[in-house]
Amino acid sequence: MTVDSVTIALVGSGGAGAMTAGQMLLDAAANVGWYGLMSRSTGPQIRGGEAAALVRLSPTPVHGPGDRFDLIVAFDWQNVERFAAELPLSDKSVIVTDPSQGEVPAVLAASGAKQIELPIKELAAKIPGGRVNMVGLGAVAAVIGLPRAGIDAVIRKALGKKGDAAVQASSAGIDAGAKEAAGWGLDLELAAPNRGDGVRWNISGNEAAGLGALKGGVKFCAAYPITPATEILEWLAPNLARTGGKLVQAEDELASIAMCLGASFSGVPSITATAGPGLSLMTECIGLGVASETPVVIVDVQRGGPSTGIPTKSEQSDLNIAVYGLHGDAPHLVVGPTSIGDCLFTTQWAVHLAEALQTPAIVLSDQAMGQSRAIIDKPADAPHKAERLLATDLGGGEKYKRYANTESGVSPAAIPGMPGGEHTADGLEHAENALPSSQASDHQKQLDKRLRKLTSHEFGDAWADIEGEGEIAVVTWGSSTGPSREAVRRLEAAGRKARLVAIRLIFPVQPAKLAEALKGVTKVLVVEQTHGAQFHKFLRAHYDLPGEVSVFSRPGPLPIRAREVHETLVSLI
Amino acid sequence: MDTHLTENVPAPTPHDYKSDVKPIWCPGCGDYSVLAGITRAMANMGMERHNTVVVSGIGCSSRIPAYTSVYGYHTVHGRSLAVASGVKLARPELNVLIFGGDGDGFSIGGNHFLHACRRNVDMTYIVMDNQVYGMTKGQASPTTEADWCESKLTPEGPGVNPIQPVALALACGANFVARGFSGDPNEVARLIVEGVKHPGFSVIHVLSPCVTFRPEQRGWKSTVHPYGREPTDDPNAAMRAVLEDDGFGLGIFLAGNRRPFQPGSAVTSTIAQIEEGFAV
Ligand SMILES: Cc1ncc(C[n+]2csc(CCOP(=O)(O)OP(=O)(O)O)c2C)c(N)n1
Ligand code: SF4
Ligand SMILES: [Mg+2]
């Protein structure tokens, strides 16, 4: 008997190499044709401390974390209590433990999980240059039936440069672990991979967002580091340089957003990435972008809030500040990727929209997408590019009007270097000719036009992911989409029908499109990861939701699992 | 200065760099003369209007961009230097100047001032110091004397010592530092020309009276004096000399040799090549 998904945790303190082993497991699984998802859990220590690599593998695409862990391999049990809540187990789970590291902690043992002793340290010590993480990886490989060739390729790639001895030490460690595990007789062999011809990628959400920026045509980034967004900036630094763009490290987020506005004002598409604390600092300048009609993209990789909150854990609680956080009536774009791979599409789309509509776009990613890696099918190429409507016929008889009140609301832009287009862009309310004005008629006109350019734009099908049919629908967004999608598929697999609507375009809202998507629906379940049900309240403010509406809303740091959404759905039917 | 008007075009005049917008300033405000100095400097250099960007924050002095005929960005309070850095880093071929006040530059924007000085992007910052928040009707700024008791907000005086902008600029690593006085717009124009021509970040501290909230500053015309030394390229020598200055010496304190910050970029990969790195 094989299983169609397996969820594994590799746990250990700093030097054990749990993360490396997890990474190699994911890479090896990808090599042989499985899909996968790896997230990491670490304590507050900057380096070292307890850590866990959380890996889920399957022959079909993986949408989110598993319901519970099938297999935990622990190199030691230091401080594991601190994240025991992130390791749900059942009596069907298996814990592999090294007897030299003491007993399995009671919080985990209480699950009734089967315990298997493996002298990991002792086995590693027998191998010259042997490491515990390789012994553990070998055991996992044997349990799930990961072909040896897949691991060998990963070892060669990772350690080839260090020479034959290092490769041999790792191989011997894998062998030692595999040999022991061969006799365990566990029913955790993963169903055979289904390797089609398509190209697969191994990518994190943060890398995907960076790539989306490049593909959209971004050429400037100003950066201030913050967990969990830093990887976007660090990925962009070399890759912008390679493609003719520039990244500069700013002194704070007030500066990073301001620098981006300066670059964009000069016609160079720009992006910055941050998390909640940085977004809070940026809000005044985002408002300047709205008023001065200067495009800019801000990726907010959300983490637990408020304040410094829980920097390394995920939440969707920046929705309110992203939509409502600017002073004045300041409509702007807010979009949210619905998966790790979708961080590429959505960021690229945001660059396109910001430039086309000459306004800031906030991309709401989160830690769960940003810092997890997935094996996915190579995303299809999207056509979206930065294309700003530029002024023509400058320098003729009529003086250029930067904020001309056009039908679409988008005014042709003049950028420095264009003779005849000279004007002063302004955050002060202004007349069409850009000169400051506090006249009621100018304020009304400019407010109207800045809203109209958003509401009259046709966003096409990308506004949401819509799947399935039936009278019950899950309405969700962001990384709550993965577990919701899996829950809906489970219902379908059991012969029941359900719909999934994952809204990608948060603002401007699309009431007619959602009404169409929910036609015939009698029950709606809203799924989100906040304490205050922010998304539900947002939907209530802007949409008519049909029938009976229920909410599954919970704050971080624990991820929402498909089982929870599925159980809620079943209880509603 | 990389961008000049082409030959055979009549030499531009200061008037060519003025817009037809009437300033909102009080009669007698020092900023009128600074504006005159700015447009004179632009004319002297024959700056191409379409290739010139002026950036400002918020305050009376920050209103200048709309009074010029070049590209401008009137941004938010305190952020002008960061916005301008984005302009120049993204489009190095543009001429970039920044205008603002003592509150905008040294209080709410103080951190950006520090980092603009040390970053040394090739642009010129003209800060109009009237030792007061003019626009918000007369509160103490970081350059106001500790015992100035005219503000309702601090009736006993701000009680904290003022900063010395020129010394601060030098300490933070600015590459060109000068002081002018609005009462002498020709000299202001000369300092701006020198600052713009000098590679890197140039700070031009201009004493510009607020006749409404600091009427006693009308007396500055008899307080200012030539600084009296030749400009040096040695920041240490400039700093030693400035510490002996009374805050009213006019001239160029430092014309240093630090290399401007301007990350370059050359296309060495296609996006498709970068994408290949993700393939399993
Ligand atoms: C974030 C923010 N805080 C406060 C203000 C109010 N404000 C406008 S101008 C100004 C001070 C201006 O002083 P200064 O920069 O010295 O310019 P001056 O008017 O003296 O030329 C203040 C506090 C603002 N516009 N924005
Ligand atoms: S308040 Fe002072 S600084 Fe402002 S315009 Fe009047 S005189 Fe000038
Ligand atoms: Mg002032």
Side-chain angles (χ1 to χ4, degrees):
Chain A
M1 246 224 12
T2 58
V3 293
D4 53 19
S5 152
V6 62
T7 298
I8 301 154
L10 295 155
V11 179
S13 56
M19 288 305 171
T20 308
Q23 186 65 60
M24 289 171 75
L25 174 61
L26 185 74
D27 290 348
N31 281 345
V32 304
W34 280 318
Y35 292 92
L37 174 71
M38 173 180 157
S39 56
R40 46 183 69 211
S41 184
T42 48
Q45 290 87 348
I46 305 303
R47 269 187 197 276
E50 70 280 12
L54 313 173
V55 182
R56 187 180 186 199
L57 303 173
S58 171
T60 56
V62 176
H63 302 298
D67 289 342
R68 59 181 65 81
F69 285 85
D70 302 302
L71 178 64
I72 292 185
V73 176
F75 304 113
D76 55 68
W77 292 114
Q78 255 183 37
N79 297 323
V80 76
E81 290 85 350
R82 284 208 210 150
F83 55 86
E86 291 173 51
L87 300 173
L89 298 170
S90 78
D91 57 359
K92 297 196 185 61
S93 307
V94 177
I95 299 175
V96 175
T97 177
D98 185 339
S100 73
Q101 301 298 315
E103 302 226 322
V104 175
V107 273
L108 299 179
S111 61
K114 177 178 176 141
Q115 296 186 16
I116 297 181
E117 292 195 341
L118 178 66
I120 304 177
K121 209 169 172 184
E122 197 185 306
L123 288 168
K126 283 188 199 150
I127 302 163
R131 294 190 27 89
V132 287
N133 61 345
M134 292 301 106
V135 176
L137 179 59
V140 170
V143 169
I144 67 172
L146 175 62
R148 185 58 204 256
I151 301 190
D152 285 342
V154 170
I155 292 178
R156 268 196 312 278
K157 200 169 156 199
L159 297 174
K161 274 196 226 113
K162 292 195 184 167
D164 284 350
V167 171
Q168 266 156 30
S170 291
S171 291
I174 303 274
D175 287 337
K179 196 170 149 216
E180 296 289 322
W184 291 346
L186 302 175
D187 282 332
L188 287 175
E189 192 177 321
L190 187 57
N194 175 12
R195 189 74 176 91
D197 298 334
V199 177
R200 294 209 186 139
W201 277 8
N202 179 338
I203 195 166
S204 74
N206 280 345
E207 290 167 344
L211 179 60
L214 285 196
K215 294 188 81 164
V218 162
K219 292 281 186 241
F220 183 86
C221 174
Y224 194 78
I226 186 169
T227 305
T230 307
E231 295 89 357
I232 298 181
L233 305 166
E234 290 179 341
W235 189 88
L236 277 172
N239 289 305
L240 264 176
R242 269 175 213 148
T243 50
K246 282 170 199 161
L247 179 141
V248 56
Q249 181 171 338
E251 53 269 33
D252 54 30
E253 289 89 348
L254 304 166
S256 56
I257 183 73
M259 287 179 178
C260 285
L261 287 176
S264 281
F265 166 80
S266 320
V268 177
S270 66
I271 197 166
T272 186
T274 189
L279 183 65
S280 301
L281 289 182
M282 289 180 187
T283 52
E284 188 189 16
C285 266
I286 299 174
L288 172 63
V290 171
S292 64
E293 304 203 39
T294 310
V296 62
V297 176
I298 306 106
V299 183
D300 171 16
V301 187
Q302 299 168 93
R303 61 192 221 181
S307 190
T308 310
I310 313 181
T312 55
K313 299 285 188 244
S314 207
E315 210 165 69
Q316 295 183 292
S317 49
D318 291 351
L319 178 72
N320 280 349
I321 185 179
V323 176
Y324 301 117
L326 311 183
H327 63 273
D329 288 311
H332 57 279
L333 293 155
V334 182
V335 295
T338 59
S339 69
I340 289 174
D342 190 51
C343 289
L344 193 173
F345 174 90
T346 299
T347 309
Q348 185 179 347
W349 193 42
V351 174
H352 165 76
L353 291 175
E355 289 283 330
L357 300 176
Q358 299 182 21
T359 198
I362 298 175
V363 179
L364 287 176
S365 176
D366 62 32
Q367 187 274 336
M369 288 192 280
Q371 292 192 317
S372 301
R373 306 193 71 80
I375 308 302
I376 56 171
D377 292 321
K378 177 182 189 281
D381 276 322
H384 304 120
K385 286 266 177 286
E387 284 159 340
R388 207 178 300 182
L389 179 66
L390 293 181
T392 49
D393 297 333
L394 290 170
E398 211 173 315
K399 209 165 173 320
Y400 170 64
K401 289 184 176 164
R402 171 65 189 96
Y403 302 111
N405 189 19
T406 60
E407 194 182 327
S408 69
V410 176
S411 315
I415 56 174
M418 292 168 64
E422 295 86 355
H423 67 278
T424 291
D426 212 319
L428 276 174
E429 189 56 285
H430 38 256
E432 290 183 67
N433 62 7
L435 295 179
S437 167
S438 49
Q439 301 260 337
S441 59
D442 284 326
H443 190 41
Q444 183 77 44
K445 215 187 274 180
Q446 294 295 324
L447 285 170
D448 285 348
K449 118 180 183 50
R450 291 193 292 257
L451 180 62
R452 185 169 69 246
K453 68 182 180 180
L454 295 180
T455 53
S456 68
H457 187 77
E458 175 47 56
F459 291 88
D461 291 338
W463 76 281
D465 290 344
I466 302 166
E467 296 162 15
E469 48 192 50
E471 292 177 11
I472 186 158
V474 177
V475 179
T476 188
W477 75 286
S479 67
S480 293
T481 304
S484 300
R485 177 175 278 140
E486 190 171 342
V488 165
R489 302 258 165 100
R490 270 185 216 176
L491 275 189
E492 286 168 348
R496 288 169 139 158
K497 288 178 172 175
R499 292 185 212 187
L500 174 75
V501 180
I503 297 182
R504 181 178 289 105
L505 178 64
I506 308 287
F507 202 88
V509 293
Q510 307 291 311
K513 287 184 175 170
L514 185 63
E516 179 64 29
L518 295 180
K519 212 181 232 168
V521 163
T522 57
K523 285 177 182 164
V524 170
L525 175 64
V526 177
V527 179
E528 61 174 304
Q529 195 179 22
T530 67
H531 182 258
Q534 295 184 17
F535 183 57
H536 174 238
K537 287 169 186 160
F538 172 79
L539 291 172
R540 288 295 200 184
H542 299 282
Y543 292 96
D544 287 329
L545 297 177
E548 203 180 298
V549 178
S550 312
V551 184
F552 181 92
S553 179
R554 195 190 58 211
L558 300 182
I560 294 177
R561 296 182 189 272
R563 174 181 53 79
E564 302 172 281
V565 181
H566 181 251
E567 280 168 6
T568 313
L569 278 172
V570 168
S571 75
L572 292 173
I573 295 175
Chain B
M1 240 340 289
D2 15 45
T3 2
H4 299 268
L5 281 179
T6 41
E7 305 289 323
N8 305 327
V9 178
T13 67
H15 185 76
D16 293 328
Y17 295 91
K18 283 204 175 88
S19 74
D20 44 22
V21 181
K22 193 174 163 293
I24 57 162
W25 297 319
C26 313
C29 175
D31 294 349
Y32 285 102
S33 308
V34 182
L35 174 60
I38 290 165
T39 53
R40 208 163 293 179
M42 289 176 166
N44 288 351
M45 286 181 283
M47 267 186 186
E48 287 182 329
R49 294 194 313 202
H50 62 283
N51 280 326
T52 301
V53 176
V54 295
V55 181
S56 68
I58 298 294
C60 299
S61 40
S62 291
R63 286 291 189 127
I64 286 184
Y67 308 149
T68 72
S69 61
V70 301
Y71 276 94
Y73 200 177
H74 184 209
T75 67
V76 292
H77 197 26
R79 313 291 160 228
S80 59
L81 289 171
V83 174
S85 302
V87 174
K88 185 68 183 183
L89 291 169
R91 296 274 311 271
E93 75 281 14
L94 298 172
N95 311 307
V96 179
L97 294 92
I98 307 99
F99 310 131
D102 42 316
D104 191 72
F106 306 130
S107 194
I108 193 166
N111 194 38
H112 306 309
F113 180 70
L114 189 172
H115 292 281
C117 290
R118 63 181 272 267
R119 195 175 280 120
N120 201 29
V121 174
D122 186 15
M123 51 189 197
T124 300
Y125 181 32
I126 295 132
V127 56
M128 282 149 266
D129 189 354
N130 52 15
Q131 304 178 346
V132 77
Y133 289 178
M135 176 138 278
T136 47
K137 303 201 179 347
Q139 298 80 23
S141 88
T143 53
T144 305
E145 308 86 320
D147 58 357
W148 181 70
C149 300
E150 303 302 314
S151 167
K152 286 185 211 158
L153 195 57
T154 52
E156 309 296 322
V160 285
N161 283 332
I163 58 150
Q164 275 295 347
V166 165
L168 182 64
L170 289 172
C172 296
N175 202 35
F176 178 98
V177 184
R179 187 185 288 125
F181 171 51
S182 63
D184 187 353
N186 279 332
E187 176 65 0
V188 169
R190 183 185 78 87
L191 296 175
I192 294 174
V193 170
E194 293 302 319
V196 169
K197 282 186 182 160
H198 197 83
F201 186 59
S202 302
V203 178
I204 303 179
H205 179 225
V206 182
L207 298 166
S208 178
C210 171
V211 294
T212 301
F213 297 106
R214 303 292 314 254
E216 71 281 14
Q217 289 173 349
R218 289 176 190 275
W220 276 355
K221 57 179 173 295
S222 48
T223 322
V224 295
H225 56 85
Y227 167 58
R229 292 187 210 213
E230 284 304 303
T232 171
D233 62 2
D234 175 6
N236 294 334
M239 185 57 116
R240 278 194 299 273
V242 161
L243 293 177
E244 288 165 18
D245 169 58
D246 63 356
F248 290 91
L250 308 181
I252 297 171
F253 296 88
L254 174 73
N257 300 321
R258 282 180 56 219
R259 267 200 25 216
F261 177 71
Q262 183 62 62
S265 61
V267 178
T268 58
S269 309
T270 63
I271 293 175
Q273 285 168 332
I274 292 171
E275 285 186 331
E276 273 164 30
F278 293 116
V280 171

